[in-house]
Amino acid sequence: MSVANSFDRSTIERIVRQIVLQQPLAGPARDDGASSQPDVVISISARHVHLTNEHVEILFGPGHTLTPMKPLYQDGYYAADETVMVVGPRRRMLPTVRILGPTRSASQVELAFTDSISLGIDAPVRHSGRIEGTPGCVLVGPKGVVELKQGVIRAARHVHMNVRDAARLGIQNGDNVKLRIESPSCTTVFEDVLVRADETSKLEVHLDTDEGNACFLDAATKVELLPLGTACGCATQQ
Amino acid sequence: MSVANSFDRSTIERIVRQIVLQQPLAGPARDDGASSQPDVVISISARHVHLTNEHVEILFGPGHTLTPMKPLYQDGYYAADETVMVVGPRRRMLPTVRILGPTRSASQVELAFTDSISLGIDAPVRHSGRIEGTPGCVLVGPKGVVELKQGVIRAARHVHMNVRDAARLGIQNGDNVKLRIESPSCTTVFEDVLVRADETSKLEVHLDTDEGNACFLDAATKVELLPLGTACGCATQQ
């Protein structure tokens, strides 16, 4: 019986899956009317790589720069045309992992836990950029190879927003909030969602594919971002 | 550069991952002392197959019966030596999916959502045995092939227990409860956990690999089963 390799995930996984649902009033009492209730975008990031300019040139050739393929929800960010092979220990590998732009000051590989098991890399849960002491891997591009000494992480849950969204929710940069996603037979509350608030970001939660699959995000009917000190409604739901 | 296929998951995934933590007092007030606080076993089931006797014989040869390899936590259940290839549409496949015994009255394939994406099968979330109208697949064994007309599901979260555990928790068979798993940066509350209580089962939660990975079960430090009407503690936890 002829069967193809079932695991070329790059052909069957989207780079980003998203749902957009309205955030119900969850912060402190307000007098500014229902119109200010923000939409919440939940984005599931498939595994991806961030690169330095130097590593782009090693992997893709001198003078090469990333080619934007698809804009991401946050302004200025994009999925690039370019992909690399990520190689772990014992010759396990992920053949085509998408690069996200723009380039950064340090290269970083973000995996879901399922991916890290596949690769045989014990990737710790870290927030982006906090890669001190994390495992490394080998990146293989069409023109060269880079050995990362560190930088393989499982990206910790977080939510981007601007400081005005944060104020409306009664929270601030660096807080942890809870995210409750209601979906058929799979309703889930994610705690430990770090708030990353600045002047310009749009309200967007980042989960990984394991988290998105666990809560059956594609079928979600309701989402709530809940500040600390707020019960998640779990005692009265169902 | 020589790289092996990274995706022979059967060699890198355990059939079942488990943690055992003590269930804190969460039910109604009791007078029977701390010693009655039950341990909660959380088991993460990797993808697996249940077969009928007839299908065992088609796949492995006339007269063949399953060979127990490893007992599961519930008495009488086991992971078998035998595995099958599960083939989805467009020739995607999972090469070696473990069979769990004993045999059943209907064959069934239980996948995590991640697996179903790999296979290209839109598996619905169902409780075991509720396979009416679900997608089918092809099973390939060393001696034959079975085409399942239905039976591919994503197993819904559930908790086995005996009726005495249920009574202590103030719940009964068919109820839904919540499961809160506390782990570093990944604390998660799973709602919609169906109680399957009978006279003999041991207290054990079944999650799939996506759910286990999403809550970082391997690092969990605390687990709580919470009856309906009980706040999950989320308002005061972080």
Side-chain angles (χ1 to χ4, degrees):
Chain A
M1 180 158 193
S2 169
V3 284
N5 184 327
S6 63
F7 290 107
D8 185 2
R9 293 284 187 80
S10 63
T11 65
I12 55 179
E13 260 184 10
R14 288 159 286 185
I15 302 166
V16 176
R17 283 154 51 204
Q18 286 181 328
I19 64 162
V20 183
L21 293 166
Q22 191 168 76
Q23 163 73 17
L25 179 61
R30 308 172 320 186
D31 58 4
D32 53 354
S35 64
S36 67
Q37 294 182 19
D39 285 341
V40 180
V41 174
I42 313 284
S43 295
I44 306 298
S45 306
R47 54 180 174 248
H48 61 269
V49 173
H50 299 282
L51 293 177
T52 63
N53 288 326
E54 179 195 358
H55 288 164
V56 169
E57 295 202 50
I58 294 171
L59 293 164
F60 297 97
H64 190 92
T65 56
L66 295 176
T67 307
M69 180 188 69
K70 180 185 172 184
L72 300 179
Y73 183 67
Q74 298 294 333
D75 295 336
Y77 295 84
Y78 57 87
D81 267 340
E82 291 83 356
T83 63
V84 289
M85 178 188 292
V86 177
V87 185
R90 298 185 296 286
R91 299 191 305 172
R92 291 184 189 154
M93 59 95 198
L94 295 165
T96 47
V97 180
R98 186 68 51 186
I99 297 168
L100 301 190
T103 53
R104 293 191 175 186
S105 60
S107 293
Q108 177 175 302
V109 177
E110 298 187 31
L111 304 174
F113 196 25
T114 299
D115 302 321
S116 72
I117 293 169
S118 295
L119 271 181
I121 296 179
D122 187 13
V125 178
R126 291 285 182 93
H127 286 287
S128 190
R130 302 291 302 274
I131 60 172
E132 310 79 17
T134 60
C137 67
V138 172
L139 305 178
V140 182
K143 298 293 177 63
V145 175
V146 168
E147 183 180 357
L148 293 184
K149 297 297 186 189
Q150 60 181 19
V152 181
I153 64 170
R154 176 177 174 191
R157 311 159 180 177
H158 59 277
V159 54
H160 296 281
M161 64 183 69
N162 62 54
V163 291
R164 296 169 297 288
D165 294 328
R168 277 192 303 198
L169 290 164
I171 55 183
Q172 55 186 341
N173 184 53
D175 282 352
N176 276 315
V177 294
K178 296 181 291 283
L179 172 73
R180 182 175 185 273
I181 294 177
E182 200 167 305
S183 62
S185 300
C186 296
T187 295
T188 303
V189 182
F190 295 105
E191 303 184 21
D192 300 322
V193 180
L194 181 71
V195 175
R196 299 173 67 173
D198 59 26
E199 286 296 329
T200 58
S201 291
K202 296 190 277 192
L203 184 56
E204 180 190 27
V205 174
H206 279 179
L207 301 178
D208 69 18
T209 44
D210 291 334
E211 291 161 337
N213 291 343
C215 72
F216 198 2
L217 184 80
D218 292 347
T221 54
K222 184 179 173 186
V223 60
E224 295 171 281
L225 266 178
L226 299 158
L228 284 187
T230 306
C232 69
C234 56
T236 55
Q237 303 273 357
Q238 298 218 25
Chain B
M1 182 160 191
S2 169
V3 285
N5 184 327
S6 64
F7 290 107
D8 184 3
R9 293 283 188 83
S10 64
T11 64
I12 55 179
E13 261 184 9
R14 286 159 288 184
I15 301 165
V16 176
R17 281 153 53 202
Q18 287 180 327
I19 63 160
V20 183
L21 292 167
Q22 192 168 75
Q23 162 74 16
L25 180 61
R30 308 172 321 187
D31 57 5
D32 52 356
S35 63
S36 67
Q37 294 183 17
D39 284 341
V40 180
V41 174
I42 314 284
S43 294
I44 307 298
S45 306
R47 54 182 175 249
H48 61 270
V49 173
H50 300 283
L51 293 176
T52 64
N53 288 325
E54 178 196 0
H55 287 165
V56 169
E57 295 202 50
I58 294 171
L59 293 164
F60 298 97
H64 190 93
T65 56
L66 294 177
T67 307
M69 181 188 68
K70 180 185 171 183
L72 300 180
Y73 184 66
Q74 298 294 332
D75 295 336
Y77 294 85
Y78 57 87
D81 266 340
E82 291 83 356
T83 63
V84 289
M85 179 188 292
V86 177
V87 185
R90 298 187 294 285
R91 299 191 304 174
R92 292 183 190 156
M93 58 94 197
L94 296 165
T96 46
V97 181
R98 186 68 50 186
I99 297 168
L100 301 190
T103 54
R104 293 190 176 188
S105 60
S107 293
Q108 176 174 302
V109 177
E110 299 186 31
L111 304 174
F113 196 26
T114 298
D115 302 322
S116 72
I117 293 170
S118 294
L119 271 180
I121 297 179
D122 187 14
V125 178
R126 291 286 183 92
H127 287 287
S128 190
R130 302 290 303 274
I131 60 171
E132 311 79 19
T134 59
C137 67
V138 171
L139 304 179
V140 182
K143 296 295 178 62
V145 175
V146 167
E147 184 181 355
L148 294 184
K149 297 297 186 189
Q150 60 182 18
V152 181
I153 64 171
R154 176 178 172 188
R157 310 159 180 177
H158 58 277
V159 54
H160 297 281
M161 64 182 69
N162 63 53
V163 291
R164 297 169 297 288
D165 294 327
R168 274 191 303 196
L169 290 164
I171 56 183
Q172 54 187 340
N173 186 53
D175 282 352
N176 276 316
V177 294
K178 296 181 293 283
L179 173 73
R180 183 174 185 273
I181 294 176
E182 200 168 305
S183 61
S185 300
C186 295
T187 295
T188 303
V189 181
F190 296 105
E191 302 185 21
D192 301 322
V193 180
L194 181 71
V195 175
R196 300 174 67 174
D198 59 25
E199 285 296 328
T200 57
S201 290
K202 296 190 277 192
L203 184 58
E204 180 189 29
V205 174
H206 279 179
L207 301 179
D208 69 17
T209 44
D210 291 334
E211 292 162 336
N213 291 343
C215 73
F216 198 3
L217 184 80
D218 292 347
T221 53
K222 183 179 174 186
V223 59
E224 294 171 279
L225 268 178
L226 299 158
L228 283 186
T230 306
C232 69
C234 57
T236 53
Q237 305 272 358
Q238 283 199 55

